[in-house]
Amino acid sequence: MKAVDILIKNANEIVTLNGPNRPRKMKEMNELSIIENGSVAIDNGAIVDVGKNLTYNSDKIINAKGKIVLPGFVDPHTHVVFAGSREFELDMKLKGLSYMDILKSGGGIFYTVEKTRNATKDQLIQQAKNRLDKMLRYGTTTCEAKSGYGLDTKTELKILEVNKKLNESHPIDILSTFLGAHAIPKGKSADEYTNEIIEEMIPKISHLSKFCDVFCEEGIFTVDQSKKILEAGKTHGLIPKIHADEIVDTGGASLAADIGAISADHLLMSSDDGLRKMAEKGVIGVLLPGTPFSLMQELYAPARKIIDMGVAVALATDLNPNCWVENMQFMIQLGCLKMKMTPSEAITAATFNAACAIDLSDRIGSVEVGKQADILVLDCPNHKHIPYHFGVNLVEKIIKNGVVL
Ligand SMILES: [Zn+2]
C-alpha cells in the first residue's frame, strides 16, 4: 500500500465540486459532485486521490464518520486591513440615522481612514492578523484583501505592504487588490483624485496588487471616472473588479462587462440589462449579504434573479469596519435564508466560484486530484446543515496546504 501524508476516510459526504474549470452558473451551481462515504488522500501539500474506500497507509488518518469534507472557503472580497473600530455607530444606526448622518457626525469611512493613516505597519499587522486567525478558524483558507483606507499614496502603499507581510506569515493565502478609489479624500474633487490615482498611485502600487477595484457609486466615482481608473490599472497589469450598483444603479454592472472585469460586487440595484451583459461576458457576481444585514436593510441582492439570468455567483464577507464579519458559514446562511439561494448554490458560491472570482480556480476551490490540499472537516452529517444549523462554528478541522492546523 502506498503511503501518504494524510488520509481522510469514512466521510458521510465529500463535497468535491468536481467539474469544469470555469465559473459554475445556473444549474451547475447546484452540482456539488458529492461522494458518499468517501476518502481523500493528501501528499506533499496536494490532493492525490479522492474516492470511495481508498486504501493508503498514513501516519495521519482522520476518521470523518458522521461528518462532511469540503474545500476550504474562499473569501473573495474583504477589507481586512484597517485600524480602529466603529461600534459607536450602532447606536446611531438603531436611532435611524442614515450613513450620511453618521459620516457628518465624524463616523463612517473617514474615521477609519484617519485611524489607518496614523497606525504603524506593526499595529495594522497585529489587528489584521487577529481577524485572519478568526477567518481561518471559521474555515476560510484563501482571501482577497483590498487597500482603500489610506486614500493617499503613502498609506495605500503601507496597507498593500501589510497585505504582503501577512500573506507571507499567515496560513491564509492573501491576494491583494488596490482600492485607492474607495472614497474621495477631503479637500479634493473626484476628478483631481481620479488623476492622482491614475498618474501617481497606480504606477507606484501595481507591483503589490493583482487586482484594481473602484467604488462606482452615485456621489463617489462615476462610471466614466471608474472606467479611466480601471483602464489605467489594466495597462499596469491589474485585473479589474468593481463595487457596483450597491445603493443606486449607476451602470456599474455594464461597465464591468465592457471593461472585462473578473467580478462585479454587491449588485443590489443592477439593471437587467447590466446583469445580462455580465452573463454574456462571464463576469462573476460577488454578493455580500453581510452588508445589508449589518445596515439592517430589508433589501438584499436579488440572487435568484442574478443566478437565473446566467451570472455565476460567488459569496464574500465584505469584512470591513461597517460590516465586521469573518465567517463564510454565515454568508452561506444569509445566502439561503435572505437571498433564497439553495444550499448547494451557496456552497458553490463560497468555494469554487469564489476561487474563480480571484482567478485561482486552477489551484483551489474544489476537492480534486492535483489541487492544493485546502480542506475542511465539518461536524455535521450533510451539506444542508451548513445553512440550517447557524450561530455556531461547524468547522472541526482545517487542512491548509496539506498541513493539519
Ligand atoms: Zn467592499
Side-chain angles (χ1 to χ4, degrees):
M1 255 193 305
K2 195 176 178 294
V4 291
D5 293 340
I6 304 169
L7 179 67
I8 306 172
K9 57 180 205 177
N10 301 325
N12 267 19
E13 295 182 350
I14 310 272
V15 180
T16 69
L17 289 115
N18 186 12
N21 183 19
R22 54 170 169 73
R24 312 281 164 80
K25 55 187 187 180
M26 301 176 104
K27 278 195 307 218
E28 293 170 345
M29 286 190 70
N30 272 313
E31 291 161 12
L32 297 179
S33 300
I34 289 169
I35 299 171
E36 286 176 7
N37 196 17
S39 313
V40 182
I42 296 163
D43 206 42
N44 270 324
I47 299 165
V48 295
D49 206 349
V50 186
K52 277 180 185 282
N53 307 315
L54 300 183
T55 50
Y56 288 91
N57 277 330
S58 180
D59 291 338
K60 186 125 201 110
I61 291 177
I62 297 170
N63 185 356
K65 194 166 175 51
K67 295 165 187 170
I68 67 168
V69 170
L70 278 187
F73 294 124
V74 178
D75 189 344
H77 182 138
T78 84
H79 307 249
V80 65
V81 177
F82 60 87
S85 60
R86 302 196 333 235
E87 65 281 11
F88 58 87
E89 291 178 4
L90 182 58
D91 285 327
M92 301 188 207
K93 284 185 201 168
L94 288 167
K95 281 182 192 138
L97 270 72
S98 73
Y99 179 77
M100 289 313 285
D101 297 329
I102 293 171
L103 199 67
K104 277 181 210 142
S105 69
I109 187 168
F110 294 112
Y111 180 90
T112 303
V113 168
E114 191 64 30
K115 292 272 179 195
T116 306
R117 283 179 177 172
N118 291 330
T120 65
K121 252 192 221 177
D122 280 346
Q123 287 167 335
L124 289 175
I125 287 172
Q126 267 320 307
Q127 294 185 31
K129 182 188 171 296
N130 187 291
R131 292 165 207 143
L132 288 163
D133 289 346
K134 290 190 176 71
M135 288 163 74
L136 187 61
R137 241 175 276 142
Y138 281 84
T140 297
T141 48
T142 303
C143 76
E144 181 257 19
K146 301 177 195 295
S147 69
Y149 290 113
L151 310 181
D152 60 33
T153 307
K154 188 174 127 215
T155 317
E156 291 294 311
L157 265 172
K158 178 171 73 177
I159 296 169
L160 291 167
E161 281 160 4
V162 165
N163 282 1
K164 184 167 182 270
K165 272 244 152 52
L166 287 165
N167 180 44
E168 288 159 2
S169 60
H170 198 277
I172 294 183
D173 289 319
I174 301 162
L175 280 84
S176 285
T177 296
F178 168 61
L179 177 60
H182 195 189
I184 295 146
K186 287 178 181 165
K188 284 177 188 157
S189 73
D191 277 335
E192 280 167 359
Y193 186 52
T194 299
N195 286 337
E196 187 181 327
I197 290 171
I198 292 169
E199 277 150 31
E200 186 184 320
M201 289 184 167
I202 290 178
K204 285 190 183 155
I205 60 80
S206 59
H207 64 292
L208 288 166
S209 294
K210 176 162 172 135
F211 306 100
C212 182
D213 196 345
V214 175
F215 208 126
C216 180
E217 189 61 61
E218 193 172 79
I220 308 180
F221 292 93
T222 63
V223 165
D224 195 43
Q225 289 157 346
S226 302
K227 193 173 170 196
K228 281 185 190 155
I229 291 166
L230 295 174
E231 290 287 6
K234 267 167 83 173
T235 64
H236 285 82
L238 304 180
I239 302 169
K241 278 181 170 281
I242 306 184
H243 281 67
D245 310 324
E246 180 184 355
I247 305 161
V248 178
D249 172 30
T250 61
S254 289
L255 172 62
D258 291 340
I259 204 155
I262 192 163
S263 76
D265 304 25
H266 284 296
L267 307 179
L268 273 76
M269 309 303 288
S270 297
S271 67
D272 287 1
D273 202 41
L275 293 172
R276 204 169 298 121
K277 282 172 75 180
M278 278 178 62
E280 273 167 29
K281 292 283 176 68
V283 181
I284 296 163
V286 177
L287 307 186
L288 311 162
T291 315
F293 182 81
S294 74
L295 291 169
M296 292 175 270
Q297 242 171 251
E298 292 300 317
L299 186 74
Y300 284 71
R304 260 301 21 104
K305 180 175 91 171
I306 295 172
I307 292 171
D308 294 342
M309 286 181 75
V311 176
V313 162
L315 284 166
T317 58
D318 197 18
L319 166 57
N320 76 74
N322 197 35
C323 170
W324 194 328
V325 57
E326 285 96 345
N327 180 355
M328 284 295 287
Q329 295 166 63
F330 186 43
M331 296 308 113
I332 291 173
Q333 288 144 11
L334 291 176
C336 292
L337 303 177
K338 290 286 190 183
M339 302 197 299
K340 309 280 194 301
M341 294 171 79
T342 67
S344 299
E345 286 171 343
I347 291 168
T348 301
T351 55
F352 188 82
N353 278 4
C356 293
I358 52 172
D359 198 24
L360 273 187
S361 61
D362 55 336
R363 258 176 54 200
I364 56 167
S366 59
V367 182
E368 293 177 280
V369 171
K371 283 213 166 166
Q372 186 170 306
D374 290 3
I375 289 178
L376 309 174
V377 179
L378 268 64
D379 184 14
C380 57
N382 63 62
H383 66 280
K384 291 186 181 169
H385 271 250
I386 304 175
Y388 166 69
H389 184 175
F390 60 91
V392 293
N393 186 5
L394 296 169
V395 171
E396 188 181 86
K397 262 197 177 54
I398 302 143
I399 299 167
K400 174 66 189 172
N401 252 324
V403 178
V404 183
L405 300 177

